[in-house]
């Protein structure tokens, strides 16, 4: 598919007939091609931007009960601005760049024990990184200089999970499982570089590099939930979620009930209500009201407790038929340890 601003391509097919198949897709914008061409004709500030993403999947069938899935993703966005000035005795070039992106890899094994139970076991890795750089290069007769400021932020996660689904009969659907996540945060790295030469000799060459303390977090969880009818018109989904988060030699634990009830008056009218308790172990630090790549993701610490939320919902749903349906919902949410 070829478009004005971006294009994409997709390949899929068998590797081993009846056993292994693949799917590969890629997409990229090329606004930067036009802006680079525009730089040849003007010294004005020109924006530079592009995005790309790659997706790859491989599926392998060991048997009718056992399958393996490998998926990979990589994507990056870039935006910035570049300007230059060329005179007889003076030239300068200024560049400002923002780059951010994600890399994800997951290996999932699906095994069917019997007609009532199966499991998904997943090993996954993901990395988010952000890089900012501004630089200015000056040249004037016998004097040259280069100034640079940079900032970066990164999160890496490695996780393992087991998710079971058990259907003992047509009235119950039971889900249970466990997981572990190893987090590594580099909240902010920043610094600067300065280099000056005069008369062909280097007068200044120094760099400053500052690294906020790397933070390691370990998260574990177990859960179970059961979806079943209490009687003909009332259905329930009851669950219990236990999690812990270890950071800076301190461990936080949380027991989180999940309750959902649905009452059907008839085949057109239903009322649903729920209660959920949740804990949040990672916070987003924003610089203003707009979400930007410069925002920092940081975990809780031994001084900063996790945020806790209790949420209650109530909704009415009406299916008139003929393709029309109506719903009205309301919720009440109470939060503690809110960062801002």
């Amino acid at each position: 598919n070829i478009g004005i601003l971006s294009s994409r391509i997709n390949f899929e097919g068998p590797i081993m007939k009846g056993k292994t198949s693949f799917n590969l897709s890629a997409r990229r914008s090329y606004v930067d091609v036009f802006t680079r061409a525009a730089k040849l004709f003007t010294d004005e500030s020109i924006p530079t931007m592009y995005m790309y993403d790659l997706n790859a999947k491989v599926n392998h069938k060991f048997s009718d009960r056992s399958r393996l899935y490998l998926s990979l993703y990589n994507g990056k966005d870039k935006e910035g601005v570049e300007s230059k000035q060329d005179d007889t005795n003076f030239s300068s070039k200024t560049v400002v760049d923002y780059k951010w992106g994600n890399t994800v890899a997951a290996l999932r094994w699906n095994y069917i024990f019997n007609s009532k139970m199966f499991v998904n076991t997943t090993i996954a890795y993901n990395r988010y990184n952000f890089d900012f750089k501004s630089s200015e290069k000056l040249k004037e007769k016998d004097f040259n200089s280069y100034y640079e400021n940079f900032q970066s932020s990164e999160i890496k996660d490695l996780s393992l999970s087991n998710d079971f689904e058990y259907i003992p009969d047509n009235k119950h659907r039971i889900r249970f499982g466990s997981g572990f996540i190893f987090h590594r945060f580099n909240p902010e790295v920043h610094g600067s570089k300065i280099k000056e030469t005069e008369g062909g000799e280097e007068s200044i060459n120094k760099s400053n590099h500052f690294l906020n303390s790397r933070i390691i977090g370990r998260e574990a969880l177990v859960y179970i939930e059961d979806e079943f009818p209490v009687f003909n018109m009332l259905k329930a989904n009851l669950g219990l979620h236990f999690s812990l988060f270890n950071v800076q030699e301190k461990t936080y634990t949380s027991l989180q009930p999940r309750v959902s009830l649905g009452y059907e008056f008839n085949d057109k009218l239903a009322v649903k209500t729920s209660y959920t308790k949740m804990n949040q172990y990672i916070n987003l630090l924003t610089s203003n009201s707009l979400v930007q790549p410069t925002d920092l993701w940081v975990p809780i610490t031994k001084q900063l407790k996790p945020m806790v939320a209790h949420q209650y919902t109530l909704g009415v749903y009406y299916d008139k038929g003929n393709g029309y349906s109506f719903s009205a919902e309301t919720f009440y949410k109470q939060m503690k340890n809110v960062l801002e």
Side-chain angles (χ1 to χ4, degrees):
N1 182 289
I2 299 176
I4 297 174
L5 299 179
S6 67
S7 295
R8 64 180 186 264
I9 191 168
N10 177 258
F11 295 97
E12 61 177 331
I15 298 175
M16 295 174 58
K17 189 175 180 181
K19 290 284 187 181
T20 311
S21 62
F22 77 94
N23 189 310
L24 177 65
S25 62
R27 179 178 60 162
R28 194 193 192 281
S29 68
Y30 32 75
V31 179
D32 56 315
V33 175
F34 301 112
T35 57
R36 290 179 191 278
K39 291 177 189 176
L40 301 175
F41 304 97
T42 179
D43 290 337
E44 298 295 326
S45 297
I46 297 294
T48 57
M49 59 186 72
Y50 70 81
M51 57 75 63
Y52 77 84
D53 51 45
L54 304 170
N55 275 287
K57 297 181 180 180
V58 177
N59 302 335
H60 180 72
K61 179 181 177 182
F62 294 104
S63 66
D64 291 337
R65 289 188 173 188
S66 179
R67 296 172 185 264
L68 191 67
Y69 305 87
L70 173 64
S71 59
L72 303 170
Y73 169 83
N74 178 255
K76 180 176 286 188
D77 289 24
K78 174 190 173 180
E79 66 175 36
V81 65
E82 183 176 316
S83 62
K84 62 181 180 178
Q85 182 180 351
D86 281 314
D87 293 327
T88 305
N89 299 318
F90 175 82
S91 66
S92 68
K93 182 178 181 181
T94 303
V95 178
V96 177
D97 269 338
Y98 293 88
K99 295 179 183 178
W100 65 97
N102 291 281
T103 301
V104 181
L107 183 66
R108 177 169 65 92
W109 176 54
N110 173 260
Y111 185 76
I112 301 173
F113 294 96
N114 49 50
S115 60
K116 296 182 178 181
M117 186 172 179
F118 69 88
V119 62
N120 280 308
T121 299
T122 306
I123 300 174
Y125 165 84
N126 70 289
R127 173 179 180 260
Y128 167 80
N129 69 295
F130 158 76
D131 291 293
F132 163 76
K133 184 177 78 170
S134 65
S135 64
E136 183 179 29
K137 190 175 184 180
L138 304 174
K139 185 176 182 181
E140 185 178 6
K141 293 184 179 180
D142 293 334
F143 177 77
N144 295 321
S145 65
Y146 177 79
Y147 307 98
E148 178 184 309
N149 289 301
F150 58 88
Q151 178 187 349
S152 65
S153 183
E154 182 184 67
I155 308 173
K156 290 182 180 180
D157 287 347
L158 184 63
S159 63
L160 172 65
S161 63
N162 284 287
D163 300 289
F164 294 83
E165 187 159 332
Y166 177 53
I167 308 173
D169 51 51
N170 59 2
K171 293 183 178 180
H172 286 259
R173 181 181 291 269
I174 301 172
R175 301 178 182 90
F176 60 96
S178 62
F180 177 81
I181 307 173
F182 180 85
H183 303 276
R184 192 178 77 169
F185 297 85
N186 289 327
E188 186 178 24
V189 179
H190 60 94
S192 62
K193 297 179 182 179
I194 301 174
K195 185 177 181 180
E196 294 182 357
T197 58
E198 192 168 359
E201 295 184 2
E202 189 174 82
S203 56
I204 299 176
N205 188 355
K206 62 181 180 179
S207 298
N208 297 312
H209 195 270
F210 305 97
L211 170 65
N212 282 6
S213 298
R214 180 176 296 157
I215 303 176
I216 301 297
R218 301 170 183 86
E219 184 176 354
L221 61 95
V222 292
Y223 70 92
I224 184 169
E225 67 174 65
D226 186 5
E227 183 180 337
F228 62 94
V230 180
F231 50 84
N232 287 340
M233 294 183 291
L234 181 64
K235 295 181 179 179
N237 191 326
L238 306 180
L240 195 60
H241 181 109
F242 173 79
S243 67
L244 66 84
F245 194 92
N246 175 265
V247 61
Q248 296 179 338
E249 299 183 351
K250 184 174 179 64
T251 300
Y252 296 93
T253 60
S254 174
L255 191 61
Q256 305 167 19
R258 315 283 171 88
V259 180
S260 176
L261 300 173
Y263 187 86
E264 297 180 355
F265 293 94
N266 49 51
D267 58 351
K268 293 186 176 181
L269 181 64
V271 175
K272 297 180 182 179
T273 184
S274 69
Y275 163 73
T276 305
K277 179 189 174 185
M278 294 168 285
N279 273 42
Q280 182 168 306
Y281 300 112
I282 299 173
N283 296 286
L284 177 63
L285 304 182
T286 58
S287 55
N288 53 39
S289 58
L290 297 177
V291 176
Q292 297 182 340
T294 52
D295 298 339
L296 302 179
W297 291 95
V298 295
I300 59 173
T301 65
K302 57 184 177 182
Q303 290 91 10
L304 185 66
K305 296 180 180 179
M307 188 173 76
V308 182
H310 300 268
Q311 180 165 297
Y312 308 82
T313 68
L314 178 64
V316 179
Y317 306 86
Y318 179 70
D319 187 357
K320 188 178 183 300
N322 301 322
Y324 292 92
S325 61
F326 305 89
S327 65
E329 298 181 3
T330 183
F331 74 91
Y332 173 79
K333 190 172 185 178
Q334 181 186 32
M335 293 179 286
K336 297 180 180 180
N337 304 326
V338 179
L339 198 61
E340 72 172 357

